[in-house]
Amino acid sequence: MWSLISPSELEQYLDENRDMVLVDLRDRNSYQASHIQGAVNIPYEEMAAQLYQLPRNVLIVLYCYHGPRSMLMARYLAEQGFTVADVYGGLESYQGKYKVYS
């Protein structure tokens, strides 16, 4: 199962310290330049090979830069049995207090 969440819903999840794994699907250079606090970086191209790192009993929240890649990955992970949320509009849309710049 997967759902689409807004950047403000992600902000609420972070404020509540919700039990989740936040995954940034962008490349390593993009992640190092900016990301959302607490996110782990698993580039889109590597995700299928890294599934073993993700817990199956916790919500997986994905984002990329604009949103399309994370939506595709959300569908894929849901087919693999994960509970997934995709941040609508990606990092570009998230302007909350948890955005980190290097």
Side-chain angles (χ1 to χ4, degrees), residues 7 14 31 39 45-47 61 70 75 82 96 98-99 101-102:
L14 293 167
Y31 174 82
E45 295 79 11
E46 298 174 19
M47 180 60 94
V61 179
S70 58
R75 290 178 181 158
F82 291 91
Y98 297 100
K99 194 167 184 178
Y101 297 93
S102 299

Side-chain angles (χ1 to χ4, degrees), residues 4-5 17 19 23 40 53 65 70 81 85 88 92 94:
L4 199 56
I5 63 170
N17 200 26
D19 193 18
V23 180
V40 296
Q53 293 186 43
Y65 187 69
S70 58
Y88 180 78
E92 185 176 67
Y94 180 81

Side-chain angles (χ1 to χ4, degrees), residues 6-16 94 96-98:
S6 68
S8 61
E9 286 174 291
L10 173 60
E11 182 95 356
Q12 183 177 358
Y13 289 6
L14 293 167
D15 284 344
E16 295 169 354
Y94 180 81
K97 63 186 172 193
Y98 297 100

